[in-house]
Amino acid sequence: MEDQSDIALLKRLQQADEAAYTEIFHRYWEKLYAIAYNRLRIRTAAEDVVQEVLASLWVRKDVLEIRHLSGYLATATRYAVFRQISRLLPDQPLDNPDVVRQLVEDPDMSHLDFCRLQERLGVEIAGLPEKCRLVFLYSRREQYSNKEIAAAMQLSEKTVEAHLTKALKHLRLRLKDVYPYLSFLL
């Protein structure tokens, strides 16, 4: 039933219904905050991330095509966390092999270091072709089966499998220096 309510809220949101936006805000704020705080461990930074995501939802309400509100907001929050980490750690790029090696060889990797690895993964996922990226995110982040993805995206299951294979091949190639350590995220 919640999905039906979300669909109705999204339709109202697209019509600039402030009450619908307020309902979405109250329904998802705590969940999004938990996602952001779990990765950042800084209260104010996590609050900033949630504000950014929810404000963007309102600003972009006319152009967004959202099928699953909770999944969209969770993914948007993860990407906003990556941007926040980049702002907090601007002088330590993740494309430096020495930084990455230090992170993965240290058995006591800090939570923030783990987030930096996730950020690099997020950048590579964002670089996938649109359908390939969506299939990958539905599969890995939303835990949809291939059959559910095929139905949601109006694709055959074979096409879904092909997109997943392409995404994983791309990620293995682009993240070959840290792929063994990120494979549990995929």
Side-chain angles (χ1 to χ4, degrees):
M1 291 297 188
E2 186 172 300
D3 287 336
Q4 294 298 324
S5 298
D6 284 353
I7 291 169
L9 283 173
L10 283 170
K11 286 180 182 177
R12 289 176 41 210
L13 179 70
Q14 289 177 331
Q15 298 168 351
D17 183 335
E18 291 181 23
Y21 175 75
T22 301
E23 175 62 27
I24 291 168
F25 184 93
H26 290 297
R27 182 178 293 180
Y28 287 102
W29 194 91
E30 285 184 33
K31 293 175 188 175
L32 301 180
Y33 176 80
I35 292 169
Y37 184 80
N38 188 37
R39 286 166 171 73
L40 294 168
R41 299 288 183 204
I42 302 170
R43 184 184 56 78
T44 56
E47 289 172 351
D48 289 346
V49 163
V50 176
Q51 285 299 119
E52 176 184 333
V53 169
L54 291 171
S56 174
L57 180 68
W58 177 258
V59 170
R60 300 180 62 219
K61 66 187 174 297
D62 298 329
V63 296
L64 292 174
E65 292 182 26
I66 302 170
R67 293 187 182 173
H68 300 298
L69 183 59
S70 63
Y72 170 82
L73 290 173
T75 301
T77 301
R78 288 183 189 99
Y79 285 115
V81 165
F82 299 149
R83 288 189 299 275
Q84 184 75 341
I85 290 170
S86 295
R87 288 189 290 266
L88 293 171
L89 301 170
D91 57 339
Q92 296 189 8
L94 287 172
D95 58 356
N96 179 335
D98 294 329
V99 172
V100 174
R101 189 176 304 108
Q102 178 186 358
L103 294 177
V104 295
E105 290 175 356
D106 181 3
D108 297 321
M109 185 183 341
S110 77
H111 187 76
L112 194 54
D113 293 338
F114 174 75
C115 288
R116 292 172 60 211
L117 288 175
Q118 279 188 307
E119 175 185 11
R120 183 166 171 207
L121 175 62
V123 167
E124 293 303 329
I125 291 170
L128 292 168
E130 183 180 3
K131 281 189 180 179
C132 187
R133 178 175 34 84
L134 289 173
V135 166
F136 180 82
L137 291 173
Y138 276 141
S139 173
R140 297 310 196 259
R141 299 253 167 98
E142 302 302 319
Q143 303 295 311
Y144 283 20
S145 68
N146 288 0
K147 186 175 184 176
E148 290 172 321
I149 297 168
M153 294 184 67
Q154 299 177 345
L155 302 170
S156 73
E157 286 187 57
K158 289 285 186 192
T159 302
V160 169
E161 290 173 18
H163 281 304
L164 282 175
T165 300
K166 181 179 180 177
L168 290 170
K169 183 178 177 181
H170 171 84
L171 294 172
R172 277 188 209 105
L173 178 65
R174 300 289 300 197
L175 300 168
K176 62 185 171 198
D177 56 330
V178 293
Y179 187 82
Y181 304 100
L182 292 175
S183 60
F184 65 94
L185 294 171
L186 304 173

